[in-house]
């Protein structure tokens, strides 16, 4: 099973979309491992967006991400990164597929409601930046896992 990170960004917070966003992941069958509301700092954002440091929009991006707290979540599921990215939709809301979070709620290229890790490596880094190990509930068993995954898939998880 893969773990991935999702942030509800300031525009998603202001628009009251946290519950709707969480519901979409839950309905898909992903398992929530961690959840918190947090204010992102300059230091954290410098690490998070280090690949954008030299771009002209970097300061505006950081200011946007500090506008309000964000909701940070760790989700787990089979091919979790890919599944979450499909639920979220492509980056620009005006290009995002209908039925995705960004496709249903976004029109902007920059104010796009949520962030979702784009790889297992990025998820590992981003989870490490936002959560302490004791804030993540890695091992609890969901009562519905037997309804989400077949026996063979659940057996692989235990390996």
């Amino acid at each position: 099973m893969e773990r991935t990170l999702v942030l509800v960004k300031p525009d998603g917070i202001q628009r009251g979309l946290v519950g709707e966003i969480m519901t979409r992941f839950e309905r898909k069958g992903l398992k929530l491992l961690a959840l918190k509301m947090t204010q992102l700092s300059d230091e954290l954002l410098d690490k998070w967006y280090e690949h954008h440091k030299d771009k002209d929009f970097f300061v505006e991006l950081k200011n946007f991400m500090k506008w309000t707290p964000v909701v940070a979540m760790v989700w787990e599921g089979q091919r979790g990164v890919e599944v979450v990215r499909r639920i979220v939709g492509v980056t620009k809301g005006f290009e995002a597929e209908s039925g995705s979070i960004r496709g249903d709620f976004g029109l902007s290229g920059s104010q796009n409601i949520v962030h979702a890790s784009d790889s297992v490596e990025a998820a590992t880094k981003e989870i490490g930046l936002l959560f302490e190990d004791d804030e993540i509930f890695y091992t609890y068993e969901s009562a519905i896992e037997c309804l989400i995954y077949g026996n063979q898939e659940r057996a692989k998880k235990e390996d």
Side-chain angles (χ1 to χ4, degrees):
M1 297 288 164
E2 286 178 359
R3 296 179 185 116
T4 192
L5 184 112
V6 173
L7 294 180
V8 180
K9 295 163 79 172
D11 52 327
I13 299 289
Q14 291 290 336
R15 293 180 57 193
L17 295 174
V18 175
E20 172 72 29
I21 290 164
M22 291 181 70
T23 296
R24 290 186 182 215
F25 298 128
E26 289 176 327
R27 284 187 179 156
K28 183 67 173 176
L30 293 160
K31 184 164 101 175
L32 182 64
L33 300 183
L35 169 70
K36 71 177 173 182
M37 189 171 209
T38 188
Q39 185 72 52
L40 302 178
S41 68
D42 275 323
E43 297 77 28
L44 185 136
L45 289 166
D46 284 343
K47 290 177 192 170
W48 194 282
Y49 290 120
E50 63 191 351
H51 56 290
H52 291 313
K53 262 193 165 167
D54 297 326
K55 297 181 179 162
D56 59 348
F57 60 83
F58 180 65
V59 172
E60 183 179 344
L61 174 62
K62 279 179 50 177
N63 288 336
F64 172 70
M65 293 301 292
K66 294 186 303 180
W67 176 33
T68 69
V70 298
V71 171
M73 300 173 274
V74 178
W75 292 94
E76 180 182 71
Q78 185 168 293
R79 298 179 71 170
V81 171
E82 177 185 343
V83 169
V84 165
R85 297 285 293 182
R86 284 189 184 154
I87 293 168
V88 166
V90 298
T91 302
K92 296 177 180 176
F94 56 83
E95 294 176 351
E97 310 82 2
S98 181
S100 69
I101 292 168
R102 291 174 176 154
D104 289 351
F105 301 110
L107 285 172
S108 175
S110 60
Q111 295 197 359
N112 57 9
I113 319 289
V114 292
H115 164 83
S117 303
D118 63 6
S119 67
V120 172
E121 297 77 22
T124 301
K125 174 189 172 187
E126 293 167 356
I127 290 167
L129 287 171
L130 288 173
F131 289 94
E132 298 296 325
D133 217 36
D134 65 353
E135 295 178 303
I136 304 171
F137 295 86
Y138 292 107
T139 58
Y140 83 94
E141 186 172 347
S142 167
I144 65 166
E145 285 183 60
C146 64
L147 302 172
I148 304 297
Y149 299 107
N151 291 334
Q152 290 179 338
E153 293 165 320
R154 287 197 327 276
K156 285 181 186 177
K157 180 182 177 188
E158 295 168 5
D159 290 346

